[in-house]
Structures are given as C-alpha cells and as structure tokens.
Amino acid sequence: MEKTEKDKGLWIYIAVAYGVTFLMGLLMWYGDRKNIDLGIFPNAQMFYPAAGVMAAVLCTRKKDPLIPRGFYVFFICVTVVMAVLAVISIFYPYAGISVVNGYFVPIWLLASQLLMIGASIAGWVILLATKKEKRRAYGLCWNHTALSLFCIFLFFALYILRTVIAVSGSGEWAALWDLTKKPYTWLQLMVLPVNFLLVYTAFFGEEYGWRYYLQPLLQQRFGMRGGVLLLSVVWGIWHLPVDLFYYTQDSQLPMIVAQQITCITLGIFFAYAYMKTNNIWVAVALHFLNNNLIPILSGNYTSGVLENQTVTWNELLAALGVNGLIFGGFLFTKPFRRAAQE
C-alpha cells in the first residue's frame, strides 16, 4: 500500500476509533449530569476500533479482492446500531422493564445485549462462509492451536495468581475462599467458553483495532517495545469517557491512573501473546477473560459490576507492583527480542 493510502487509512481509523468515542463522551457527560443509566456506552465503545479499521480498509483498498467485505460491512452495521442505541438511551432513558425484585433494566441496554449475542452468532456464520484466503489476508484466521491455547491458559493462571496476591494483602482472602466452595462459581467458569462464543464481537471490536492494526504500525515507527508501550498508553487514554462517567463517580483521577496501569501491563502480555501466535483470536480471548473473570472472582454478577468504583492511591501502588511483576516482565521475552532483530 502506498504511503498516502496508509496515512488516509490511519486518519479514518483515528476518526472512528477516537473521534466517535469522544463525541459519545460528551453524551456520557450529559447523561452523567442527569443521572441517566450509561451502561450501553461501554459496550458500544468497544466496537469502534475494529469498525475504524474496517472503514479504513474499505475506503483505501477498494480494488483488493481479498477484503472480507461481507464480514466487514456486517460488523460496521452492527457498530452503527450500537451507537444509535447509545444515543437513544440518553434522550429516552426511562424506557425499560422490571425483572426480579423490581430491578429495572433499561430497554436500550437490554436491546444492545441481545444485539451483541445475535451479532456474535451471525458473525461466526459469516466468517465460516468467508473464503480462508480472505480471512488469512486480514488476520481473521485461527493460527497455531497448541501455542494459542498455551497463551490463553497461561493468562488464566497468571490472572488467578494476581488475584490471590491481591486478596492476600487486602484481607479479603476469606471471601475469595468462600467463592471456591460455591458450585455457581465453578459453573460460571465452565460456561466461559460458551459465553465467549456469544459475546465475542465486543472484545474483537477492541483487539482487531489495537493488536491487529495499531500495534504493528506503532512498532514499525517506535520499535517493538516502544510501540507496545505507546499503544498501551493510547489504549488507556481511549478509555477516558468511561473512566470519568461510568467506572467511578468520586475518584476520577485515580481511576485514570489505574486504567493506565491496567492497559500498560495487560497490553504487554496481550502483545506478547499476539506476536507469539499471530492469532488475533488469542488477544480477543484474553480480553474476554480479563473482563469476565471480574464478576466471577468478586461474586458480583450484576451487569454494573464495573460501575461506580472507588479507587485509592494506595490501591494504585499495590496494583502497579503486582501487575508489573506478573505481566510487565513479558516485555523482555523472546518475541520482543526476536522481532526487534528481524
């Protein structure tokens, strides 16, 4: 691809992945002031990076016969519908249904969750119907099964280790131990693969933008390690709207720093796994695990488990130490060194 086309594609990507995100952030600010439920916005935001990649490809490589146009157009359409539902939720916030014990579920949030499930199922069908050479040309193939499964299980083990270390220092060990005695905890763990198949689109939406598209571009410009670190920082910045208006109401600055710690340390491991396997689905699975192990290990299975958190500076020091120790060291592993020499 010519340099001008690459530059055009990058600007299209930025306009969608970041431009739409921060425009939606203005609506989140308004909704936050009016005490409107913002639960749909984080889900919709996860779709924007991949939609940005796809829009860039469709606009700059129109004659490429290997573009998986069916899947790309489908995903972009789903992204548009998710964004529209988010906008509607601000102007018609009180439409919803009551479920068990009078718990109110906003209709637009429910619609977005059903859309993600339907889109995930339809997406698998479209991908399977897409010729393999097209999927391979645009990073949509599953590669290196044994190595990919190793990276997934390694992340799972490290995640559990991080949790054990964290609760050991916080006095919550008894609560975590009690969770291991509940059959529902093990049931939730066992159904994770099924849940992944039903909601993967949101996590694909991020990872196809970050790991597949932006990571190689930044590594070409800033080196293998520098590119990943820069990617992790801009990934953290991308979270600003949800950091400010969804994840917390009383500790915005600590939450922004916490997001950087999370994105930098996890970004290192995600990059490691992606470079080692050249399999975007591994990064998607890791992102899914990171988000979906939170309600299981916290024992909080409500949809708003990540909403309205309180973060303290002391917690950040502990998080930096534990995450840096467990995930940060992968920055010095062989995939980074080998790639830097090639």
Side-chain angles (χ1 to χ4, degrees), residues 28 38-47 202 206 238 242 246-247:
M28 293 186 73
L38 301 175
I40 187 174
F41 280 85
N43 291 337
Q45 184 172 321
M46 295 177 76
F47 283 76
E206 282 205 47
W238 175 84
V242 291
Y246 183 76
Y247 288 152

Side-chain angles (χ1 to χ4, degrees), residues 221-255:
R221 178 67 177 84
F222 299 100
M224 303 310 296
R225 295 190 179 102
V228 165
L229 291 175
L230 180 58
L231 170 64
S232 300
V233 171
V234 298
W235 182 27
I237 293 172
W238 175 84
H239 284 88
L240 274 176
V242 291
D243 287 339
L244 294 174
F245 307 120
Y246 183 76
Y247 288 152
T248 188
Q249 294 293 322
D250 56 12
S251 50
Q252 279 82 3
L253 184 56
M255 178 58 72

